[in-house]
Amino acid sequence: MSFYPSLGYLIFGSRLRRLSEYFLMEVNKVYEQAGIPFDASWFPVFYLLSEQQPMPMIDIAGQLEISHSAVSQMVTSLKKKGLLKTTPCKEDGRRQLVAFSRKGEELLQQIQPVWEAITGAMNALVMENKQSRQVLAAIAQI
C-alpha cells in the first residue's frame, strides 16, 4: 500500500495542497505555451473583475473569502505589473475601487479563451469518470 493512502484523513490537507499546486502548475504551463504572461494565482481576482468592475477591494475579499490584506497585496502586485488600477470610492474615500487598466483588459481578452478551453477539458475529464463528478460537491461539503 502506498504511503499516502495508508494515512487516510491525517494527510488529507497535504494531499489537497499537492493537488492544488500541481493543477496550478499545469494551468500555468498552458498560459506559457500560449505565450500569455498570466499566473493562475491571479485567476480569482481577474475573474471577479471580468464580471464586475470597478469593485471595492473589501467586496473582492468577501467574495473570495480571504483577508482584505491578502487582496490588497494581490492588487498592489498586479498594479505594479500595470494590470490593475485603483481609485477612491466617491461615497467613502477610505474604500478603494479596483478595475482593469488598459493592459489588464488586453490580457483578459487573451486569457478568456484559455478559461473556456480549461472548462471544456475539465468537463470532458469529469464525464469520463463518474466519481470525478462528485469532487467539487464533496469538497464544498467538507
Side-chain angles (χ1 to χ4, degrees):
M1 176 182 255
S2 173
F3 174 71
Y4 289 112
S6 71
L7 293 175
Y9 291 109
L10 288 175
I11 197 85
F12 185 70
S14 296
R15 291 190 79 186
L16 281 178
R17 174 175 270 185
R18 287 186 58 207
L19 179 63
S20 175
E21 289 169 352
Y22 176 77
F23 186 76
L24 290 175
M25 181 181 69
E26 292 298 311
V27 170
N28 279 332
K29 286 180 187 176
V30 171
Y31 292 123
E32 185 179 329
Q33 290 171 353
I36 301 171
F38 187 78
D39 189 284
S41 66
W42 304 344
F43 172 78
V45 171
F46 261 72
Y47 187 82
L48 281 177
L49 292 176
S50 76
E51 296 290 306
Q52 174 193 338
Q53 62 171 329
M55 180 178 271
M57 207 175 301
I58 192 75
D59 291 359
I60 294 171
Q63 288 202 33
L64 298 181
E65 299 177 0
I66 59 176
S67 70
H68 184 277
S69 176
V71 171
S72 179
Q73 289 174 11
M74 171 74 75
V75 168
T76 298
S77 172
L78 292 171
K79 279 175 60 177
K80 287 179 182 175
K81 294 179 184 313
L83 300 172
L84 298 181
K85 60 185 177 183
T86 57
T87 55
C89 179
K90 290 178 181 150
E91 295 82 34
D92 182 352
R94 296 170 296 172
R95 294 175 62 167
Q96 291 290 308
L97 299 175
V98 182
F100 289 118
S101 65
R102 195 167 123 233
K103 183 178 176 182
E105 287 282 359
E106 291 169 0
L107 182 58
L108 177 65
Q109 297 307 311
Q110 292 177 0
I111 60 177
Q112 284 179 319
V114 175
W115 294 351
E116 292 170 16
I118 291 171
T119 299
M122 292 303 294
N123 284 334
L125 183 65
V126 165
M127 293 311 288
E128 291 176 12
N129 183 332
K130 180 181 174 185
Q131 292 173 328
S132 295
R133 293 181 214 154
Q134 300 168 5
V135 168
L136 292 177
I139 291 171
Q141 286 180 341
I142 291 173

